[in-house]
Amino acid sequence: MAISAIVLITLSLAALGGFWLVSSNLGRAVAQWRDRVRIVVYLKREPPAPEAVLGRVRAIPGVSGVTYIAKADALRALKQVLGKDASVVDQLPANPLPASLEVTPSAAAATPEGARDLLGRLAALPEADEVAGSADWIERLSQWQRLLTTIGLGVGAVLSVAAILTVTTATTLILHARRHETEIMRLVGAPESTIRLPLLLQGMMQGLAGAVLALIALMIGYSLVAPRLEPLVSLTLGIPDLMFFTPVGILTLLGAGTLLGGLGGWLARAGREP
Amino acid sequence: MIEVHRVSKVFSVGPVKVPALREVSFRVSKGEFVVLSGASGAGKTTLLRLLYRDDLPSEGDIEVLGHDLVPMRRSQVAPLRRSIGVVFQDAKLLPIRTVYENVAFVLRVLGAPRREITARVFDALRVVGLSSRAQAYPAQLSQGEAQRAALARAIVRRPPLLLADEPTGNLDDAMAAEIIDVLKDIGAGGTTIVLATHQARLARALHRRMITLDGGRVVKDEG
Ligand SMILES: Nc1ncnc2c1ncn2[C@@H]1O[C@H](COP(=O)(O)OP(=O)(O)OP(=O)(O)O)[C@@H](O)[C@H]1O
Ligand SMILES: [Mg+2]
């Protein structure tokens, strides 16, 4: 077994896997926020028949749900937020908060363009005073996620090529060390598979070993970082925890390692054959 | 069995062209015992190497055991070689394996059943008279014993064609005669044999068909 080959496979898979972990957790945040996008339509005055307004809003394309928040409801919510300082509100001569509609856009309307169209249509309501909310920052988050994925794949690809070459070199060294045996094998007519299969298997074993090490490293990293990062993450991104790989993800990583090693073993060539 | 037709071989050593074989033609029928003689550098090894397709001729055609060697696909080479036993001029014994293991190696890499291996290896060692040295390493063998080990490895699969390149190497006459007797026995069993040697006296003493090479050309084919 070539240590350098295993180390490089470990590095490349740890890099790939690390970026993958960050990116998939960001992806979860993006998906969750897409679900939670709300557009608030502040109304000029409390409508006499809120149900009629709600009906009209529901009919607007891109709206998946809508709730009516009366002035009193808004004030109650504000008091709740203020907690022990809620008494301040009681000092007010009148309820300053407007009535509003909380609109949940459908998935199609959660894209930047869809959201802009929907905002326009909501602003056109005769009852609407002001419309607030946008999906822009979610897009920015998902752009970050895409960027990270791209960087991860790039770094992973470079390291993978290095890993394959290292396995190839290691295998060529083995072939060289065994060149007398391989020569005899060829001369007596051993099938090429008999000569190459052990090397292929050895490459695959190196790859698998590298993948297992990478997984262990990632698992250790995750168990150290996750508990420290989770409070911050749940505050900023709104996801309660950081996820590790699913079983399918783990199998994919192990498979990728085996493939890298096998490829390296297969590519090794030594000896001459007319 | 073997058909060599106007075969030439030129080696390129840098800018220098070394002609090793020129317009060589001959046939060997099934069961024949042919001696390939010629001084050192006459082209004997080169010719044998072409016969087990270790190399390709620069010109001409070669047919061995029904295979056309020049247009042969790479994947067909291994099956051809499985039907040819070769005693290499440099023996090519693996130094870290015993005589037994060297002979068994061939059977193992060709996937013979484990049970058969021991019996067949000892059979081959008995034929060459080396049963008592089975556990010796090549470095512990005399030259004659090493040549016999190489011969045992070549015949362990009972190939229909045996190519022996200087199997009597630098042996004294008595030792050489022993090996020649073994080869004659193998030939009597129906194996086609091509024996290359630079020892002219030994070649003549064999009383077999003799093809003589000189400077890569067949200068004599008689007997
Ligand atoms: N691989 C090679 N590259 C270049 N020249 C070669 C090569 N093999 C053989 N030759 C040349 O071809 C000629 C024939 O060599 P070959 O080994 O066939 O002779 P030989 O009859 O077997 O001699 P010997 O009795 O010494 O074994 C020689 O001049 C040799 O130098
Ligand atoms: Mg020679």
Side-chain angles (χ1 to χ4, degrees):
Chain A
M1 286 261 185
I3 302 297
S4 56
I6 297 178
V7 167
L8 261 171
I9 289 175
T10 305
L11 280 179
S12 59
L13 289 180
L16 264 175
F19 277 104
W20 183 12
L21 272 182
V22 172
S23 154
S24 63
N25 277 300
L26 265 181
R28 279 170 72 215
V30 169
Q32 194 163 319
W33 279 104
R34 283 227 167 97
D35 280 351
R36 276 201 211 152
V37 177
R38 297 282 182 278
I39 296 172
V40 181
V41 182
Y42 296 103
L43 302 178
K44 288 172 184 151
R45 61 191 72 81
E46 280 200 307
E51 272 312 316
V53 184
L54 286 178
R56 263 186 292 129
V57 172
R58 271 192 206 101
I60 295 174
V63 171
S64 105
V66 57
T67 43
Y68 172 69
I69 293 156
K71 285 171 75 87
D73 295 334
L75 195 66
R76 219 174 296 124
L78 178 63
K79 275 184 176 170
Q80 217 160 39
V81 171
L82 290 175
K84 62 177 166 50
D85 298 322
S87 54
V88 185
V89 175
D90 296 328
Q91 316 280 312
L92 296 169
N95 180 350
L97 300 175
S100 60
L101 301 172
E102 237 183 62
V103 176
T104 309
S106 63
T111 62
E113 305 80 49
R116 221 172 298 124
D117 290 350
L118 181 58
L119 287 177
R121 282 194 286 271
L122 290 171
L125 285 171
E127 290 87 354
D129 180 26
E130 208 188 317
V131 180
S134 100
D136 279 0
W137 72 273
I138 298 179
E139 277 327 297
R140 237 168 286 139
L141 194 63
S142 93
Q143 268 162 16
W144 270 101
Q145 184 209 350
R146 275 196 291 273
L147 183 69
L148 269 173
T149 311
T150 313
I151 294 174
L153 283 177
V155 171
V158 170
L159 284 170
S160 298
V161 170
I164 291 174
L165 289 178
T166 313
V167 176
T168 306
T169 311
T171 312
T172 309
L173 284 177
I174 295 171
L175 270 174
H176 184 74
R178 293 196 199 148
R179 65 192 178 284
H180 297 298
E181 280 185 27
T182 355
E183 186 193 7
I184 297 286
M185 286 169 90
R186 291 213 164 95
L187 288 174
V188 301
E192 199 62 12
S193 60
T194 317
I195 301 170
R196 305 201 64 87
L197 202 62
L199 297 168
L200 180 70
L201 288 179
Q202 188 155 358
M204 288 169 77
M205 289 309 295
Q206 288 175 0
L208 189 60
V212 168
L213 287 179
L215 262 177
I216 292 174
L218 286 173
M219 209 138 37
I220 293 173
Y222 169 82
S223 65
L224 288 179
V225 169
R228 256 153 250 183
L229 223 54
E230 267 166 7
L232 179 70
V233 160
S234 75
L235 215 67
T236 54
L237 294 179
I239 41 176
D241 55 1
L242 287 170
M243 241 174 54
F244 196 62
F245 295 116
T246 58
V248 174
I250 291 175
L251 284 180
T252 307
L253 218 60
L254 294 177
T258 313
L259 196 74
L260 287 185
L263 204 62
W266 186 251
L267 286 176
R269 292 261 169 235
R272 114 217 101 83
E273 202 68 356
Chain B
M1 180 63 63
I2 300 176
E3 208 172 316
V4 175
H5 183 67
R6 298 176 71 104
V7 161
S8 299
K9 178 70 185 177
V10 180
F11 289 107
S12 301
V13 184
V16 183
K17 302 258 185 268
V18 181
L21 293 173
R22 310 177 205 224
E23 304 251 327
V24 171
S25 298
F26 63 90
R27 285 160 169 263
V28 176
S29 338
K30 192 166 181 299
E32 244 188 303
F33 190 135
V34 178
V35 183
L36 196 60
S37 78
S40 190
K44 305 178 296 292
T45 298
T46 305
L47 182 53
L48 291 185
R49 283 184 52 225
L50 295 183
L51 295 183
Y52 58 90
R53 212 200 183 264
D54 195 26
D55 210 341
L56 283 165
S58 311
E59 261 171 78
D61 296 307
I62 304 176
E63 200 187 301
V64 176
L65 294 160
H67 298 269
D68 218 344
L69 300 203
V70 176
M72 182 178 248
R73 274 184 294 125
R74 192 181 284 248
S75 59
Q76 288 306 110
V77 173
L80 168 81
R81 288 185 184 163
R82 268 173 254 157
S83 317
I84 306 177
V86 184
V87 181
F88 305 100
Q89 183 164 8
D90 55 351
K92 293 195 199 296
L93 294 174
L94 299 169
I96 57 159
R97 291 172 190 259
T98 62
V99 168
Y100 174 87
E101 287 164 350
N102 264 284
V103 179
F105 183 71
V106 177
L107 294 175
R108 266 200 295 113
V109 300
L110 295 177
R114 201 175 284 272
R115 286 171 284 104
E116 268 179 39
I117 292 181
T118 316
R120 291 176 66 176
V121 171
F122 276 105
D123 219 31
L125 290 178
R126 191 181 42 72
V127 170
V128 302
L130 213 58
S131 309
S132 60
R133 303 291 279 145
Q135 296 311 320
Y137 286 89
Q140 302 167 329
L141 299 177
S142 73
Q143 276 205 34
E145 287 170 334
Q147 297 283 19
R148 278 185 278 164
L151 182 55
R153 185 180 59 189
I155 60 166
V156 71
R157 298 194 71 245
R158 300 184 224 269
L161 175 61
L162 176 64
L163 307 176
D165 196 356
E166 311 275 1
T168 54
N170 303 313
L171 305 178
D172 62 34
D173 288 359
M175 282 271 233
E178 266 181 48
I179 292 202
I180 295 296
D181 283 343
V182 172
L183 282 170
K184 279 181 168 169
D185 283 348
I186 295 166
T191 307
T192 310
I193 299 179
V194 179
L195 163 69
T197 179
H198 67 272
Q199 295 163 298
R201 198 155 50 86
L202 179 127
R204 273 191 301 277
L206 261 155
H207 301 297
R208 292 290 198 274
R209 175 180 167 197
M210 186 155 87
I211 299 175
T212 310
L213 288 177
D214 186 10
R217 246 182 250 283
V218 176
V219 292
K220 232 191 278 177
D221 185 347
E222 58 186 14

